[in-house]
Amino acid sequence: FPGCVMIVSHDRYFMDKIVDHLFVFEGNGKIRDFPGNYTTYRAVKKEEERAHRQQERSQSEDSSPTTTKLKTKPNALSHEERKELRRLEKKILKLEERKAELTEQFNDASLSSEEITDLSKELSNINEELEEKEMRWMELAEMA
């Protein structure tokens, strides 16, 4: 298909496989045009945030070397929340892999109706858990 398709999804694996360009709605009417997939965008954004924090620290140290205080976001993640974020990323990846495996199993023409029903139930459960984990991940990622 030579045209353009707009996709809105919370499924990072799906987006990474088919997307090569993003329009990121950053808030306050700002839309960022990003050439690349979602994983690349997150890596670039993380690096930009790290550079910004480092710049703030160096400016803070330059302005008052005797009373240097680290500026923290009022809603910055606690140590436990950062650990939870990393666990969620690993769990989401595993769920996405299992979802892909189940989807592939549906291509087997020799499946009985019972097996199809069982696969459908498991896929439904995985989709629900994946949605729950992704929502929590997004909450934590916004605070980071």
Side-chain angles (χ1 to χ4, degrees):
F1 178 72
C4 178
V5 176
M6 181 164 46
I7 297 170
V8 178
S9 176
H10 294 281
D11 189 336
R12 296 180 305 159
Y13 177 80
F14 171 72
M15 288 193 320
D16 277 347
K17 292 298 181 189
I18 65 167
V19 171
D20 62 4
H21 195 97
L22 300 171
F23 289 110
V24 182
F25 292 77
E26 294 182 336
N28 297 327
K30 185 177 179 190
I31 301 172
R32 182 175 181 175
D33 185 2
F34 184 82
N37 65 19
Y38 184 74
T39 299
T40 305
Y41 167 74
R42 290 294 301 168
V44 168
K45 185 164 175 69
K46 188 175 184 178
E47 180 60 30
E48 288 171 352
E49 289 170 353
R50 186 193 62 74
H52 182 66
R53 283 191 305 272
Q54 186 176 5
Q55 182 181 12
E56 282 181 345
R57 269 189 238 124
S58 67
Q59 287 175 352
S60 173
E61 290 170 0
D62 292 345
S63 64
S64 61
T66 58
T67 59
T68 302
K69 294 182 181 177
L70 291 177
K71 295 180 183 178
T72 58
K73 294 182 183 179
N75 58 350
L77 293 179
S78 69
H79 177 69
E80 287 301 315
E81 288 171 326
R82 286 191 301 272
K83 284 175 38 179
E84 180 184 1
L85 186 63
R86 287 190 297 270
R87 282 192 307 266
L88 282 169
E89 288 173 348
K90 291 176 184 174
K91 182 65 175 175
I92 288 170
L93 183 60
K94 288 180 183 177
L95 287 169
E96 288 172 343
E97 289 171 355
R98 181 63 183 147
K99 180 179 175 180
E101 290 171 8
L102 288 173
T103 303
E104 183 63 32
Q105 288 179 14
F106 278 107
N107 292 331
D108 185 357
S110 66
L111 290 175
S112 69
S113 61
E114 290 174 0
E115 291 171 321
I116 291 173
T117 302
D118 291 342
L119 285 175
S120 296
K121 286 179 184 175
E122 185 178 356
L123 186 58
S124 176
N125 291 338
I126 286 177
N127 282 330
E128 288 174 17
E129 186 178 358
L130 192 55
E131 184 174 342
E132 176 187 315
K133 302 285 186 208
E134 287 175 337
M135 291 302 289
R136 179 62 180 153
W137 179 87
M138 284 194 294
E139 289 172 12
L140 292 171
E142 286 177 8
M143 293 186 333

